[in-house]
Amino acid sequence: MSALAPGSVIGILGGGQLGRMLAMEAAALGFDVHIYTPEEDSPAARVSARVTVAAYDDAVALAAFARDVAVVTTEFENVPAATAEILIASGAVVHPNPRALALAQDRVAEKQLFASLGIATAPFAVVDTREDLAGALHTIGAPSILKTRRLGYDGKGQARIASLGEADEAFASIGEAPAILEGFCAFEREVSVVAARGIDGSFAAYDLVQNIHQNGILARTIAPAPGAAAIADAANAMTQRLAEALNYVGVITLELFVMPDGALLANEMAPRVHNSGHWTMDACGASQFEQHIRAIAGWPLASTTRLCDAEMQNLIGADADAWQTLSADPNARLHLYGKRDALPGRKMGHVTRLKP
């Protein structure tokens, strides 16, 4: 695929805040954006040239969408891999590819991929039945974490098992869905790599960052991560190895646990722009969103140089009501996502505080 010229149409599957920010960066580079989403009045659609509102399994709508765009990307990893396959069959170019989506949607397959690439993880076991869980707990022990294989995010679809006696309750709490049991890691902190791989195989990573969660949701990201120099090269190498194995194009994120001895254990990957990369919008010459558009359009990757230290804070639910105060802070950069209802636990925006 040759580089897309300005004026080309980029298709985005999904209408949430990541799609919105991708669309805004695409527009800044001269592209039009066509959003495909099942959601009426989505945040991304309101800043895009056009929108298709249809189900992800609507073959007719997908075929029409494919004819209108030069390339298709996704704004979240749970777009069905089958949707990407339908689009490819209809003649569309899709980045990331269906294999990357399918692997990210299945925690077991994802962990098996890590293992095949020599990327260390916590011990894990496949759990399809109560008997499987009993056997896994016998091997891995407690404390441990039971997670659904599919569709869990922001702490959903997970149950902590502190003792063997909690197994049945934990399995019931996730609806007895196919799952994975992961051994508990006494990690010191979580870090993530947000990086991009171009169509030509070029690779560029932003500075390693530290993530702080509350109630299973990312609350703050610190850029750069304290002590990053000692582990950044290893973290970047893991991410590049993963991207190359997937023949990946676009921004990809790898979340990692830092153990007390400095070892890194992979937690999960995200085949998309990521919440922990939002700081790049204000503290780098080119944001993760511009970088993703550049990659999928066949443009050269931009510099990932950090211009200053930064800390990103998510605005969850009613936090966004403080927009007047936040917007008055000269060192803060406020980003609101255009969502209509500030529901508890819902990401309404973020603020990045720059530290020159």
Side-chain angles (χ1 to χ4, degrees), residues 42-132:
S42 68
R46 292 200 300 275
V47 299
S48 299
R50 43 195 178 273
V51 59
T52 294
V53 178
Y56 288 126
D57 61 356
D58 187 332
V60 174
L62 287 169
F65 177 67
R67 290 191 295 270
D68 187 59
V69 300
V71 66
V72 177
T73 192
T74 59
E75 66 121 20
F76 71 112
E77 63 266 45
N78 286 325
V79 171
T83 299
E85 291 167 351
I86 292 170
L87 288 167
I88 291 171
S90 299
V93 175
V94 180
H95 299 304
N97 58 58
R99 178 171 178 250
L101 292 174
L103 287 166
Q105 291 166 9
D106 185 327
R107 286 191 170 99
V108 171
E110 180 183 63
K111 289 292 196 296
Q112 291 171 338
L113 172 65
F114 291 158
S116 73
L117 296 174
I119 298 173
T121 69
F124 65 92
V126 180
V127 173
D128 290 324
T129 66
R130 290 177 185 272
E131 290 73 23
D132 290 340

Side-chain angles (χ1 to χ4, degrees), residues 135-210:
L137 283 168
H138 179 75
T139 302
I140 293 174
S144 52
I145 301 175
L146 184 67
K147 301 178 180 179
T148 55
R149 285 184 68 155
R150 301 177 64 83
L151 299 179
Y153 65 96
D154 285 347
K156 298 177 176 65
Q158 301 185 17
R160 184 181 295 269
I161 300 177
S163 65
L164 300 183
E166 296 178 0
D168 285 349
E169 181 181 352
F171 196 47
S173 74
I174 65 166
E176 301 189 6
I180 183 172
L181 184 73
E182 298 179 4
F184 180 75
C185 292
F187 61 90
E188 287 190 339
R189 55 204 170 106
E190 182 192 285
V191 297
S192 61
V193 179
V194 176
R197 184 172 183 269
I199 288 174
D200 62 355
S202 56
F203 180 84
Y206 290 97
D207 284 346
L208 189 73
V209 296
Q210 180 172 335

